[in-house]
Amino acid sequence: MVEVTNLCKKFNSFEAVRGVSFSIQKGEIFGFLGPNGAGKTTTINMMTGLTLPSSGNIKIAGFDGIREIKKVQGNIGIVPDESNLYDELSGRDNLMFCASLYGMEKAKREVRTQMLLKQFGLDQTGKKLFKHFSKGMKRKLTIAAGIIHEPKILFLDEPTTGIDVESARQIRQLIQDLNAQGCTIFLTTHYIEEAERLCDRIGFIVDGQMVALGNLDELMGEVQKEHQMIFTFEQGTHSLEKSMSQSFPELSVYRINEHSIRISSDEKISLMPIMKFLEQEKVLPREARIMKPSLEDVFIKITGIGLDKMKKEKEGKKK
Amino acid sequence: MKKAIAFWGILMKDMKTYYLKPPNISWGIIFPVSWTLMFFLRSSIEVDIRGILPGVMALSILFGTTSMLAVTITFERRSRSFERLLLAPISLKLLMLAKTSGAIFFGLVNAFIPVLFASFFISLQGIQWLPLFFAVLLIAVTSTFLGLFIAVAVNEVFEAQTFSNFFRFPMMFLCGLFIPVQALPLFLQPVSFVLPLTYGVDILKNAINGDGFMSFGISLPILLGFGLVLFFLSTRNIQKKWIY
Ligand SMILES: Nc1ncnc2c1ncn2[C@@H]1O[C@H](COP(=O)(O)OP(=O)(O)OP(=O)(O)O)[C@@H](O)[C@H]1O
Ligand SMILES: [Mg+2]
């Protein structure tokens, strides 16, 4: 359905995307996961015809993504990272207008608009002007506008960023429903759990490069053999990770936050020596938990980027 | 057919959200009235309405069209809703025609409001309506595309307004409306001839009062040429600047 090979984008001398390749099968939900500035939006823009690639090839729905971009655009739907519908139009008129851009006949436009407003729980607000919508409602209407013409492939750029938990949950449900109806989906996100929950296959992108690609099992393969524990302490533990790594060279120790650390090992972790060590150090754990490895660990392992860092950056940006 | 639906959809949306808004409608009426009034006060004697009609018409079109593009293009570009249009499966040229046809139509209507007013006071006999209509159409097209060119060249709405005054005011004084081109200082005359409005005004003068100095055969094609060149430059700039 989608075939991207060696895609590159340079802005002057800055390389935003550096040789990204991947393919998406029909009916798949493909997730593009990466921190701020990784090149997710730039990749989407190149695939949808808003930005010209510096080099590389794109093939979407059987058409060449550069020479036949207008044909590609007839087959895809796009939900940008900002809700960019028309402030001065009502929800209904916005959808009607977007449908007309794809050449839908009036009668069909009306049926489809009515249906989507209902499906997205916006039928009560359909008459309001877009500028009076709440953030979550705007997002939903923007998604509705992206699928009004029943595209074969839908591109979603960070669909759940910056909205409340309940709306985000509804949106994830909508994405799953759409996919169940046969729509192929490409989505970017910086929420690892979201990618894990929604996507059939995931690509990690960091600094414009694809650092890992595969389905959940394949990605988890890298850490599945790993054993993990998390210790939570009453007091701060700033130097603990260092002294601990020294005493237990076979363990890798990672600080999650002020009060907790994670230790992992390829061998089974025996608790007694660690407890003894902690007693010597006079830091008693409040809680010790055995963890099953998650996609988060894969991400950290591959990229070296802490999750907290990724979130912090994101929140900083939204302010 | 699909393209026609998209074209019509864009045009109607712009009509609804911009052109048919009360401020724009009143602008279309206030502008010609105040110009007529200004000329009236200036001459203090019996005003020659028919003599000033070409000028009022030309300026109504020029100001009416160029100021609209700052909103329909630059503003939408800033709010990023313009991206929707670039992502639609229609060619850039068709898209830009759809985005400008509203302004062209608005210009046409603006031009005939002074004619309507004038018809209450004077006889409009002897006007060559066909050339007049073509002149108005071509002035509207060229001014709209000039506005488009400016709207694409800038990033902010206020820049578009400032930048278009940079074109509009010299054009007003050098196009032969207030002072005939032949009466301008010799070094300014070449400038007049690179301004599209000079040709438009001349056709209007010919059609209304028979006092232009070029024949339709020359001025109409030149005006058309200006319009085409501006349009192609603008679409090329969009391609280069906005699909980078
Ligand atoms: N038009 C541009 N000119 C110059 N640099 C750009 C341009 N657009 C993006 N970049 C740069 O390219 C890099 C990738 O940006 P991009 O928007 O694709 O990241 P992203 O993964 O979508 O990040 P985010 O999570 O913040 O949306 C960034 O460093 C950004 O500054
Ligand atoms: Mg982005």
Side-chain angles (χ1 to χ4, degrees):
Chain A
M1 204 68 173
V2 175
E3 192 76 55
V4 171
T5 24
N6 240 324
L7 200 60
C8 293
K9 180 66 189 179
K10 269 189 175 181
F11 294 111
N12 300 316
S13 63
F14 177 73
E15 284 184 90
V17 175
R18 306 189 269 175
V20 164
S21 303
F22 59 91
S23 59
I24 305 175
Q25 308 306 318
K26 191 168 189 253
E28 221 173 21
I29 303 188
F30 183 87
F32 224 35
L33 183 66
N36 285 141
K40 302 183 294 292
T41 301
T42 308
T43 306
I44 285 205
N45 285 350
M46 286 192 277
M47 294 170 79
T48 55
L50 217 49
T51 301
L52 285 173
S54 306
S55 65
N57 287 309
I58 303 169
K59 214 166 164 91
I60 294 177
F63 298 109
D64 184 279
I66 296 153
R67 278 182 295 107
E68 301 171 295
I69 184 63
K70 288 295 154 189
K71 289 195 181 135
V72 169
Q73 285 171 342
N75 287 292
I76 61 176
I78 299 129
V79 181
D81 50 358
E82 258 174 60
S83 305
N84 67 343
L85 285 163
Y86 297 89
D87 276 343
E88 300 300 325
L89 293 182
S90 67
R92 185 184 165 279
D93 287 352
N94 261 306
L95 292 188
M96 288 291 282
F97 173 66
C98 290
S100 75
L101 288 180
Y102 291 85
M104 276 169 89
E105 312 259 341
K106 190 158 187 219
K108 209 172 154 207
R109 284 206 298 267
E110 262 160 5
V111 174
R112 187 90 182 126
T113 298
Q114 221 39 54
M115 202 195 94
L116 283 177
L117 285 176
K118 200 160 175 209
Q119 188 188 344
F120 282 59
L122 293 169
D123 36 358
Q124 296 307 312
T125 31
K127 285 197 191 80
K128 261 200 207 172
L129 292 187
F130 186 65
K131 62 178 169 191
H132 296 142
F133 274 35
S134 76
K135 242 188 194 165
M137 281 154 60
K138 280 187 176 177
R139 205 92 266 270
K140 282 186 217 162
L141 195 74
T142 310
I143 296 177
I147 56 170
I148 187 95
H149 56 292
E150 300 175 272
K152 294 200 185 108
I153 308 168
L154 180 65
F155 291 82
L156 294 141
D157 199 354
E158 307 207 8
T160 57
T161 299
I163 53 176
D164 70 60
V165 181
E166 175 56 16
S167 304
R169 196 191 58 77
Q170 289 171 359
I171 285 173
R172 279 194 282 267
Q173 188 58 51
L174 283 169
I175 293 174
Q176 275 171 326
D177 293 348
L178 266 176
N179 181 246
Q181 289 158 26
C183 185
T184 305
I185 289 173
F186 177 103
L187 74 87
T188 76
T189 180
H190 68 279
Y191 296 122
I192 293 185
E193 324 87 75
E194 180 168 291
E196 195 171 355
R197 207 169 327 157
L198 279 181
C199 301
D200 299 311
R201 278 189 325 128
I202 300 169
F204 289 175
I205 181 170
V206 178
D207 284 337
Q209 277 173 317
M210 190 84 99
V211 292
L213 174 68
N215 62 29
L216 261 179
D217 277 345
E218 289 162 348
L219 290 170
M220 296 292 276
E222 311 228 9
V223 290
Q224 215 104 50
K225 299 179 293 290
E226 203 166 65
H227 299 266
Q228 244 193 40
M229 288 191 77
I230 287 184
F231 286 85
T232 310
F233 303 93
E234 297 286 352
Q235 69 265 53
T237 58
H238 21 277
S239 62
L240 189 69
E241 72 201 274
K242 233 183 235 155
S243 51
M244 204 164 177
S245 326
Q246 273 160 12
S247 312
F248 301 92
E250 75 280 9
L251 299 179
S252 49
V253 185
Y254 171 81
R255 173 195 296 282
I256 301 169
N257 59 39
E258 181 69 10
H259 292 275
S260 41
I261 56 168
R262 170 175 42 212
I263 56 178
S264 52
S265 163
D266 293 340
E267 311 284 310
K268 201 158 187 293
I269 301 169
S270 46
L271 202 53
M272 282 321 282
I274 295 175
M275 288 307 283
K276 262 201 183 119
F277 168 81
L278 291 175
E279 204 171 350
Q280 273 166 25
E281 296 281 311
K282 297 200 167 44
V283 275
L284 277 184
R286 180 157 50 106
E287 191 189 5
R289 250 184 312 160
I290 295 172
M291 295 297 289
K292 276 177 95 180
S294 68
L295 192 61
E296 193 176 321
D297 305 308
V298 183
F299 190 80
I300 293 167
K301 191 162 184 182
I302 294 174
T303 63
I305 297 176
L307 246 206
D308 42 341
K309 187 174 168 242
M310 211 153 119
K311 276 191 183 140
K312 231 176 254 162
E313 275 177 8
K314 198 80 207 178
E315 276 148 20
K317 184 189 157 198
K318 291 287 161 198
K319 262 173 208 163
Chain B
M1 189 57 206
K2 282 191 165 185
K3 286 179 178 154
I5 292 175
F7 183 96
W8 189 246
I10 294 171
L11 178 60
M12 285 302 119
K13 191 225 103 206
D14 278 359
M15 282 289 170
K16 193 172 163 191
T17 37
Y18 305 119
Y19 298 103
L20 296 179
K21 284 279 155 80
N24 277 323
I25 295 176
S26 53
W27 166 258
I29 295 169
I30 290 167
F31 192 85
V33 171
S34 49
W35 273 101
T36 316
L37 212 66
M38 204 185 89
F39 279 100
F40 186 68
L41 293 174
R42 201 187 57 147
S43 54
S44 71
I45 38 167
E46 179 81 343
V47 68
D48 173 12
I49 291 181
R50 193 152 166 163
I52 65 166
L53 196 55
V56 178
M57 287 174 76
L59 294 179
S60 295
I61 307 171
L62 180 67
F63 280 80
T65 52
T66 47
S67 52
M68 290 314 298
L69 276 299
V71 181
T72 59
I73 308 280
T74 318
F75 176 74
E76 286 197 3
R77 162 83 183 146
R78 287 232 41 99
S79 70
R80 290 191 52 193
S81 50
F82 200 82
E83 279 174 17
R84 288 195 171 274
L85 306 177
L86 293 175
L87 289 170
I90 46 174
S91 75
L92 189 60
K93 295 218 163 62
L94 184 71
L95 164 63
M96 292 330 285
L97 281 178
K99 282 304 275 183
T100 48
S101 49
I104 294 171
F105 183 71
F106 189 63
L108 282 180
V109 174
N110 268 350
F112 284 102
I113 288 171
V115 179
L116 187 72
F117 281 136
S119 71
F120 293 127
F121 303 102
I122 55 166
S123 141
L124 295 177
Q125 251 171 20
I127 292 182
Q128 295 179 268
W129 289 105
L130 195 65
L132 181 82
F133 180 76
F134 274 107
V136 167
L137 181 65
L138 282 178
I139 297 173
V141 168
T142 323
S143 327
T144 301
F145 291 167
L146 178 67
L148 174 66
F149 182 75
I150 294 166
V152 173
V154 300
N155 293 319
E156 305 283 344
V157 175
F158 80 91
E159 285 176 324
Q161 307 285 16
T162 321
F163 200 26
S164 44
N165 282 337
F166 179 80
F167 280 93
R168 285 192 296 217
F169 285 96
M171 207 129 95
M172 240 166 87
F173 294 106
L174 297 176
C175 70
L177 270 182
F178 300 104
I179 315 155
V181 174
Q182 289 89 342
L184 285 171
L186 215 55
F187 71 98
L188 279 179
Q189 286 192 18
V191 183
S192 299
F193 285 102
V194 296
L195 298 175
L197 199 60
T198 308
Y199 302 92
V201 164
D202 199 71
I203 309 173
L204 286 181
K205 283 183 160 179
N206 257 335
I208 296 175
N209 298 315
D211 58 355
F213 65 92
M214 279 175 272
S215 80
F216 293 141
I218 300 175
S219 41
L220 277 172
I222 292 184
L223 200 54
L224 190 66
F226 267 111
L228 288 176
V229 168
L230 283 167
F231 182 72
F232 284 102
L233 280 182
S234 306
T235 46
R236 210 198 53 169
N237 281 348
I238 292 179
Q239 187 82 44
K240 273 207 323 214
K241 275 188 66 174
W242 293 356
I243 307 178
Y244 44 80

